[in-house]
Amino acid sequence: MFRVRLGVVGCGMIAQLVHLPYLTALRDRFEVVALCDQSFDLAQAVAERFHVPKAYVSMEDMLAKSPELDAIVVLTLDHVGPVLAALERGKHVFTEKPLGYTLAEAEKVAVTAVRTGRKVMVGYMKRYDSGVRRGLQEIAQIFRPVMARIHLVVGPEYGNWIIPEVGTITRSQDPGHAVRDVRRSRVAQEFGTAPPEVLEAYMDMFGVWSHDVNVYRAAFPAAPTSVKAHCSPDGKTLTASLQYADGFQCVFQGSSTSVHRFEESLTVWGSDRTVMVDISNPFLPNTPSTVRIWRDEVVGGTGRGAASEEILRGSHEEAFKAQLVHFYQCVTSPESQPLTDAQEALMDTRLMIDIVRAAVQRS
């Protein structure tokens, strides 16, 4: 089997907890040739831990000295710069979400991917969760959807409290090294005047919330005709109402609380059934998501049939691993396209911006 030669950009939490372990497990498909991080001591330590032969301090250095790379995995805090640089060098790209924090960034990546003929896959791992995939199939069978609800409540630290392995993460020992975070300033520049709490909510949406927007859009890709939204004074709670041309409506409710609990679901009510996809926490490995279907039994005569509930659980296949297998297929098969490509991420960003702009109008 042909092994895709990878360069990994960024050696922080998500690289150490998820991607490098699964890339190692998939050694029949991938060879991690090199990695880089702005903290070179971190790059060296992580390279030694995962037996990666080359470590660099910059992506530019890695691309120049390891030209044999087939693809780049972008796991930095800010993705758009490395993604564009990799595309311009003719590399396929897997990038953690978000693709970009502004419409202009996402549009530029989408256009560059088309121009260079390279593939960009965005790490919306929940789309590769077998339970979520089954839930989307069940939603597609609804005769006439009338209403949907996206429900998301995460505990402190965006739900990361659920990961005991966080305490084992290798970190840079260079006290003088600090990465300047300019994401929020770029967002503020594109938005113009916006209350701080609304910008806070928007930045939060790129955490867990963007996954739910992506799953929802997989079921209902059309753009809404009307969006109304409200944001709490601290930016931690956001609700939105989406209206569509055919009368279909969706309620989005998301919040970050201090209670150590994780709730995430998509429910769709239709004329013939109700489907609920209860999404498991992605950092609980091999935990299947659950699909619940409610409908009335069809009986003869005039009597009322019994109401039935069907419960389906996805497989224990790990979603993070499944998405990397899909990325391998996309890189090695010209006809295979990423399920979650740059265009999908662009449309997700567009909907999130529409929601937040509606909240600005209400503030």
Side-chain angles (χ1 to χ4, degrees):
M1 180 181 287
F2 173 74
R3 297 174 73 197
V4 173
R5 295 162 296 187
L6 294 178
V8 176
V9 184
C11 298
M13 183 186 79
I14 198 69
Q16 296 178 46
L17 283 184
V18 176
H19 293 294
L20 286 171
Y22 286 124
L23 288 170
T24 301
L26 293 167
R27 60 175 60 87
D28 60 325
R29 292 175 172 87
F30 296 106
E31 178 188 2
V32 182
V33 174
L35 51 76
C36 65
D37 194 280
Q38 291 183 3
S39 298
F40 187 54
D41 66 320
L42 177 60
Q44 290 177 310
V46 173
E48 181 178 356
R49 176 178 168 186
F50 289 97
H51 308 290
V52 178
K54 301 177 184 178
Y56 299 100
V57 72
S58 71
M59 180 176 169
E60 292 75 14
D61 200 25
M62 182 176 72
L63 289 172
K65 296 180 180 178
S66 296
E68 72 275 18
L69 297 175
D70 301 304
I72 301 297
V73 176
V74 178
L75 308 175
T76 50
L77 184 66
D78 200 355
H79 308 137
V80 66
V83 169
L84 289 170
L87 290 173
E88 294 294 355
R89 294 293 290 269
K91 312 299 182 183
H92 299 291
V93 179
F94 173 92
T95 177
E96 263 298 336
K97 56 82 190 164
L99 179 62
Y101 287 87
T102 69
L103 274 180
E105 292 170 358
E107 287 170 347
K108 186 173 183 178
V109 172
V111 169
T112 304
V114 172
R115 174 172 57 79
T116 60
R118 302 294 89 183
K119 297 175 183 178
V120 176
M121 178 171 159
V122 183
Y124 288 121
M125 76 287 181
K126 293 177 183 180
R127 289 285 297 283
Y128 304 91
D129 179 307
S130 62
V132 172
R133 294 201 307 268
R134 179 59 185 271
L136 289 172
Q137 291 172 2
E138 294 295 333
I139 290 171
Q141 294 181 38
I142 295 175
F143 178 69
R144 185 173 65 86
V146 295
M147 183 175 70
R149 180 184 66 202
I150 305 169
H151 174 79
L152 175 65
V153 180
V154 300
E157 301 176 13
Y158 305 103
N160 290 348
W161 48 269
I162 209 165
I163 322 168
E165 293 82 3
V166 166
T168 68
I169 296 299
T170 302
R171 304 186 186 279
S172 173
Q173 300 303 307
D174 181 1
H177 181 80
V179 178
R180 183 167 173 258
D181 188 358
V182 296
R183 296 172 299 164
R184 190 181 295 264
S185 62
R186 298 201 307 267
V187 169
Q189 183 176 6
E190 183 172 271
F191 262 86
T193 303
E197 68 271 14
V198 175
L199 289 180
E200 181 72 25
Y202 179 68
M203 298 302 290
D204 273 357
M205 289 184 81
F206 285 108
V208 183
W209 300 7
S210 61
H211 287 290
D212 299 279
V213 170
N214 181 261
V215 170
Y216 170 75
R217 284 199 58 263
F220 302 102
T225 55
S226 172
V227 179
K228 300 185 185 303
H230 295 272
C231 181
S232 64
D234 61 0
K236 297 300 182 184
T237 299
L238 181 68
T239 61
S241 174
L242 313 180
Q243 175 83 35
Y244 292 79
D246 61 358
F248 176 73
Q249 299 178 42
C250 176
V251 174
F252 175 96
Q253 48 187 207
S255 185
S256 301
T257 73
S258 60
V259 178
H260 289 73
R261 179 172 170 78
F262 184 90
E263 306 170 21
E264 186 175 22
S265 64
L266 168 62
T267 306
V268 182
W269 289 266
S271 58
D272 60 333
R273 73 192 76 184
T274 298
V275 178
M276 176 182 178
V277 186
D278 190 2
I279 305 172
S280 63
N281 188 296
F283 289 109
L284 293 177
N286 306 106
T287 303
S289 294
T290 302
V291 183
R292 288 180 169 83
I293 307 164
W294 293 271
R295 57 189 134 205
D296 290 339
E297 291 184 357
V298 178
V299 297
T302 58
R304 185 182 69 84
S308 67
E309 177 182 359
E310 183 180 3
I311 299 177
L312 308 170
R313 288 186 175 85
S315 74
H316 292 273
E317 178 187 34
E318 175 51 48
F320 277 110
K321 186 177 181 180
Q323 73 174 353
L324 289 172
V325 171
H326 180 68
F327 181 60
Y328 176 84
Q329 181 181 355
C330 292
V331 171
T332 57
S333 302
E335 69 277 6
S336 296
Q337 296 299 321
L339 180 64
T340 51
D341 62 10
Q343 190 64 33
E344 277 288 299
L346 171 60
M347 299 307 293
D348 295 338
T349 303
R350 194 181 304 279
L351 178 56
M352 289 190 289
I353 286 180
D354 286 346
I355 289 172
V356 175
R357 287 200 184 281
V360 170
Q361 295 172 3
R362 292 277 180 174
S363 61

